[in-house]
Amino acid sequence: MINTRSLIIVAAAIILLLLFLSTSGKKPPLIPLDRLHAELKTNEACLPCHAPGMRAPLKDTHPPKEQCFICHKPGKG
């Protein structure tokens, strides 16, 4: 029979493993600190360049395309 302490230790180990796996993957690129990106405040502001058929379109495999600022953060200056 599993005692409470062992169960808590196993649960904590699983949680730590899942946390590590979720944060150890590839990080999304930072938003460049240049003139083109300096004024971006909304997801819609990204579309003139990153919509299909535009200058730098997103790949078809890109996650939801209307939530840019959830993953992409301003670059370090």
Side-chain angles (χ1 to χ4, degrees), residues 5-62:
R5 181 178 290 173
S6 297
L7 185 60
I8 291 172
I9 291 171
V10 169
I14 291 171
I15 290 170
L16 288 173
L17 177 65
L18 291 174
L19 181 64
F20 172 75
L21 292 174
S22 71
T23 60
S24 64
K26 184 179 176 186
K27 303 285 187 214
L30 296 174
I31 299 170
L33 292 175
D34 58 14
R35 284 185 304 136
L36 293 173
H37 296 91
E39 300 297 319
L40 296 180
K41 302 290 183 224
T42 65
N43 296 317
E44 292 77 23
C46 302
L47 294 177
C49 292
H50 296 292
M54 301 311 274
R55 184 164 125 190
L58 300 174
K59 296 177 183 175
D60 291 337
T61 57
H62 192 280

Side-chain angles (χ1 to χ4, degrees), residues 52-76:
M54 301 311 274
R55 184 164 125 190
L58 300 174
K59 296 177 183 175
D60 291 337
T61 57
H62 192 280
K65 296 165 179 61
E66 58 282 330
Q67 302 172 356
C68 308
F69 297 103
I70 291 176
C71 298
H72 300 280
K73 305 297 179 202
K76 306 262 188 244

